[in-house]
Structure formats: structure tokens, C-alpha cells
Amino acid sequence: MKRILMALAVLLTIQMADAQVKTPADAKKAVESAAEATANPKKAAKPATWLKLANAYMDAYAAPMGNGWIGANKQELTFIMGNDKPSSTQNVTLAGEPYSKETYKTMNYYFNANNQLALIEVTKPVYEDALDKALEAYLEAAKVDAKGSKTKDVDAGVKNVASKFVEQGMNSYMFGDLKAASEYFEKAMKASESAPNPVIDTMAVYNAGFTAWMVQDYAKAEPFFKRCLELNYVEDGEVYAKLADIYTKMEKKEDAKAILEKGFSAFPQNQSIIIGLINYYIESGEQPDELFKLLDVAKQNEPNNASLYYVEGDIHN
């Protein structure tokens, strides 16, 4: 749990405070005005019209978060937020770590042990699907931009949406809603790949699969882990172990064995893979001759790797 939390935590980026954050009411009006323009055929043919709508949705997404930003300390926020005071403060635990929760009208701020703002939870969004709508608008801008004059703006906007989906996935993970986390990471993955200059977010692919696996949605997790293997994003062999576990749970024993042996060849010291193989041989009643053959190959490749000899002794034990 702590290992994946560390992997997810690197997704958090330090954000600077924006003194021009719109109020939720103003943000809603801006969206309505921009949406009205897209109903005009002449205006709808211009990429700038759709960019304006996309940016309005992004402002609406950010508006309920107030002036706080991830990484800010309480002293900075006290100065910036002025008379906007929390209605209550309480100590809570998220993912096994202590936080101080401050409740405001439209959001909750969670401060870590260093008194830095670590999480922002919106409780009264302007639009529930603001990020989805923003993405749609950015892609529509690209569609009508025959000359490609706004490609740079669209690309930056789409990738910003993707980063926000990642943040939402992180928040959902921290709050224990793993199903929602998987959905957000999947959206982040798809958004990154839909940009004019597409990028494959391998961490989003892995996290979408990992969180689906955690809630035992194996049918959903399987394709994400298989794609991780295709992209050679294997987390020191953990992807092989997770995929094998999925095959085992889905009663695909031979597939589980095959992926474990493939993973063992690449990562002979991975304890999850070793345990998976040992369990397979115990449950199947087969002799683990192939396992020792794989170890012999590994020792030939790394004859001075003492860990491989330890692993061999561990398997005999």
C-alpha cells in the first residue's frame, strides 16, 4: 500500500496560487455565455469559440477550490485568503496518514504533518463533469481548426485536463474510492492520447489497472496490465505478478503460469512472482523443474548475483 502510494504521490505537482480565480457564480455565467456562442453556426466554425468554452469549463472546475494550491503552507494561505476562514477544523486519517481537515463553503483543505496543503476536496462543484466537457470542447476546437493555427493551445489544454484527471484519481485513491480512482486514471490516459501531440501516460495506465485490481474488478484491470507489458512499464516485475493473479482469479491457470514464468525470466528476484510460481506448483501438483531451469538461466546471466542463490535456497525450503 505504501509503495503504490509513493508512486501515486509523485503525480502531485506544486501549483502556484492564482489571484484571479473566478467565483463559482461568475464561472457558471462564463460557461453559459461561451456555450451560447457555440450554438451560432458561424462562431462554431471557429476554433477560438471552442477554446473559450473549454477554458470556461476549466475555470468552472477550479472555481470551488478557492485560492489554495497544493504545496502551500497554512501561513501563506492565511495571508492570501484573507477573511475566507474555515467553518470547522478536525484531524482525520487518509491512507494511514494523519491530516488536518479544514472545511470551507465549497471545498475541504487537507494539510499534512508539515502543515502543507496536500489535498483539495471540492464539495460543491459548479459542474460535475467540467473536465469531461472541457476535453470535448478542446477536441472540437482541434476538429474545426483546419489550418492548425490553434494546435499549440489545444495540445496544452488537453494535457492540462489529463493532469487534472490524475489529480482527481489521486484524491479518490486517498479517500478510499478506488473504483472512481480507476475511472479517473483511465480518463487521464485517454485524454493524454487524444492530444494533438499525443503522449502515452504509462503511470496512468498502471494506476488504472492497479486500482481496478484492488477492488477485484479483474476484467477491467486485465487490459491495463497487458498494455503495461506492451509498453514495457512493469514496475520491477509487479505487473507480471498482478496479471498472473488476475488470470488465477479468472480460472486461467495456464495463462497465469505462462506470465509468471515470463516475469521470472526477466525479474528472478521479484518476491511476488516467486510466491506466485511456488503457489502454482503447490496447487497444481506439478514438479517445479521448470522453475529451477529458469533459475539456472538467470545464474548463467548473472553468475555473481548472490540473491539468485538465496532465491534458489528459498524455493527448496
Side-chain angles (χ1 to χ4, degrees):
M1 183 70 172
K2 185 167 289 188
R3 182 173 182 276
I4 189 61
L5 180 59
M6 290 173 65
L8 288 167
V10 301
L11 300 175
L12 289 175
T13 56
I14 302 300
Q15 304 169 359
M16 297 306 294
D18 183 356
Q20 303 302 317
V21 172
K22 286 184 170 66
T23 66
D26 287 341
K28 190 172 188 295
K29 288 179 182 178
V31 168
E32 292 171 348
S33 176
E36 185 178 345
T38 64
N40 183 310
K42 289 185 178 181
K43 293 181 179 180
K46 299 178 180 180
T49 301
W50 293 99
L51 282 172
K52 185 176 181 179
L53 178 60
N55 293 333
Y57 271 118
M58 292 304 292
D59 286 342
Y61 168 77
M65 298 183 186
N67 286 307
W69 69 95
I70 302 300
N73 59 50
K74 285 189 176 183
Q75 185 175 0
E76 290 172 324
L77 293 183
T78 298
F79 174 75
I80 291 171
M81 298 181 71
N83 294 325
D84 191 5
K85 306 294 183 183
S87 60
S88 65
T89 301
Q90 64 182 116
N91 294 323
V92 298
T93 300
L94 299 177
E97 298 293 331
Y99 290 86
S100 174
K101 174 184 175 182
E102 293 187 352
T103 300
Y104 293 84
K105 183 177 180 181
T106 61
M107 75 285 189
N108 297 323
Y109 283 172
Y110 293 81
F111 294 88
N112 60 24
N114 295 322
N115 283 326
Q116 290 179 310
L117 183 57
L119 290 169
I120 299 176
E121 178 188 23
V122 172
T123 54
K124 294 182 180 179
V126 179
Y127 295 99
E128 293 285 351
D129 57 353
L131 290 178
D132 299 276
K133 291 297 185 182
L135 179 60
E136 290 175 9
Y138 280 126
L139 296 180
E140 189 63 28
K143 183 178 177 181
V144 300
D145 187 18
K147 296 181 180 179
S149 62
K150 299 295 184 181
T151 297
K152 185 176 180 180
D153 293 332
V154 171
D155 191 64
V158 171
K159 289 174 180 175
N160 185 36
V161 171
S163 72
K164 299 305 180 186
F165 277 135
V166 167
E167 289 177 12
Q168 289 301 306
M170 177 63 182
N171 282 3
S172 296
Y173 176 85
M174 292 294 289
F175 293 127
D177 190 348
L178 302 181
K179 183 176 184 297
S182 182
E183 292 171 356
Y184 279 124
F185 289 130
E186 182 178 8
K187 287 183 177 183
M189 174 194 77
K190 291 180 177 178
S192 293
E193 294 177 23
S194 66
N197 295 308
V199 174
I200 298 176
D201 188 342
T202 50
M203 186 171 282
V205 178
Y206 175 80
N207 287 335
F210 175 79
T211 45
W213 172 79
M214 286 188 73
V215 294
Q216 301 180 14
D217 190 346
Y218 302 122
K220 181 177 181 180
E222 179 187 2
F224 290 118
F225 286 132
K226 289 175 70 174
R227 191 168 187 219
C228 282
L229 293 182
E230 293 170 1
L231 297 171
N232 198 32
Y233 188 87
V234 294
E235 283 288 293
D236 294 326
E238 285 301 310
V239 170
Y240 289 100
K242 297 287 189 299
L243 188 55
D245 181 64
I246 288 170
Y247 287 145
T248 299
K249 297 296 183 3
M250 297 174 74
E251 299 297 327
K252 298 179 180 180
K253 304 294 185 182
E254 288 304 313
D255 289 338
K257 177 185 177 184
I259 202 70
L260 283 169
E261 289 181 342
K262 185 176 180 180
F264 184 75
S265 295
F267 299 92
Q269 299 173 50
N270 183 290
Q271 195 69 10
S272 298
I273 294 175
I274 293 169
I275 291 173
L277 279 169
I278 291 172
N279 286 339
Y280 171 81
Y281 286 118
I282 290 173
E283 293 172 8
S284 67
E286 296 180 26
Q287 293 298 317
D289 297 338
E290 186 62 28
L291 189 56
F292 290 110
K293 290 178 183 178
L294 292 169
L295 256 177
D296 286 339
V297 172
K299 288 189 293 184
Q300 289 173 21
N301 293 334
E302 297 182 80
N304 296 320
N305 188 337
S307 296
L308 295 175
Y309 296 91
Y310 182 88
V311 167
E312 185 175 14
D314 201 29
I315 294 171
H316 278 298
N317 185 51

